[in-house]
Amino acid sequence: MSPHILALDIAGAPHRWISVREAAHYYATDMIAWATGTNEFLLRGGRQRATGIQSLIRANSIIAIKGKDYIVRNFDHVPMLTKDMLLARDRHICAYCARRFKAAELDMEHIQPRSKGGEDSWMNLVAACKACNHRKADRTPEAAGMKLHYVPYVPNRYEAFILSNRKILADQMEFLLQGVPRNSRLHLS
């Protein structure tokens, strides 16, 4: 699986990850407002009958797409919560014992248990190893005598783009980190 291209709106806000083939479509239809990034992808097309010249498209790793449909409107939209994104936000570290684990050894743990009105939300979920999750059981951390080693938070748009893609190129990461708050745990990675 090849790396994805970071598609931005014309103002430079992250819009979505796209494949190199999708980017080629935007290049071919003159929908690229501007492009940046040090990485390029070369796509070779067919040959023209008259000249025999093969068509080529050079796609940058970061592109801004023209048009109203690509303007980011809900910039403060809360990103979708998934186990992979939560574990990435928490850097695969258990919130209770502060040790790093593999994804299969971690659970999404409710700080305020569901049975006591706790929601499935970024602010109520943390990564917890199976032993700590079992020990805490259906209690609050205080009732279980367990301390949270870090506080949960809602990732912003830039952090969500980093958390949702495992194959981010260095130039894309540099671009996205500019929009990540300084106190984010992503800067500690």
Side-chain angles (χ1 to χ4, degrees):
M1 182 177 198
S2 67
H4 282 87
I5 289 178
L6 178 59
L8 313 172
D9 70 4
I10 199 161
H15 187 268
R16 64 189 173 110
W17 291 106
I18 61 173
S19 69
V20 176
R21 291 210 179 274
E22 288 175 281
H25 167 75
Y26 292 121
Y27 275 96
T29 57
D30 195 31
M31 292 286 295
I32 304 297
W34 51 271
T36 188
T38 56
N39 291 292
E40 279 189 339
F41 300 91
L42 182 63
L43 287 110
R44 298 176 192 279
R47 295 192 180 274
Q48 292 182 354
R49 280 188 187 174
T51 64
I53 297 173
Q54 186 177 30
S55 64
L56 297 173
I57 293 179
R58 291 184 189 280
N60 289 71
S61 54
I62 304 169
I63 60 174
I65 301 172
K66 298 177 191 174
K68 287 188 245 177
D69 294 340
Y70 300 97
I71 295 173
V72 175
R73 289 176 180 81
N74 298 326
F75 198 81
D76 293 331
H77 177 71
V78 175
M80 186 173 77
L81 175 63
T82 66
K83 183 177 181 182
D84 287 340
M85 286 183 61
L86 179 85
L87 299 184
R89 179 201 70 181
D90 294 348
R91 298 175 48 220
H92 290 84
I93 296 173
C94 174
Y96 299 107
C97 67
R99 292 193 324 234
R100 185 177 300 271
F101 291 90
K102 294 178 182 172
E105 301 168 324
L106 289 167
D107 291 324
M108 293 173 59
E109 204 283 314
H110 291 79
I111 299 167
Q112 177 74 26
R114 271 197 209 155
S115 64
K116 295 178 177 47
E119 299 177 349
D120 289 342
S121 70
W122 285 103
M123 295 304 290
N124 191 48
L125 288 165
V126 291
C129 68
K130 297 196 183 290
C132 287
N133 196 8
H134 181 72
R135 184 175 147 221
K136 181 181 165 287
D138 196 24
R139 301 175 288 177
T140 63
E142 296 80 23
M146 298 171 77
K147 177 185 157 200
L148 279 171
H149 286 275
Y150 55 81
V151 287
Y153 69 95
V154 178
N156 75 7
R157 183 172 195 82
Y158 291 84
E159 289 170 296
F161 270 78
I162 293 169
L163 296 174
S164 69
N165 187 354
R166 292 184 185 190
K167 292 189 175 187
I168 299 175
L169 300 171
D171 57 347
Q172 295 167 336
M173 181 63 88
E174 185 179 329
F175 180 89
L176 289 169
L177 281 173
Q178 292 176 24
V180 174
R182 289 183 189 201
N183 60 348
S184 169
R185 286 195 289 273
L186 292 181
H187 286 295
L188 304 174
S189 297

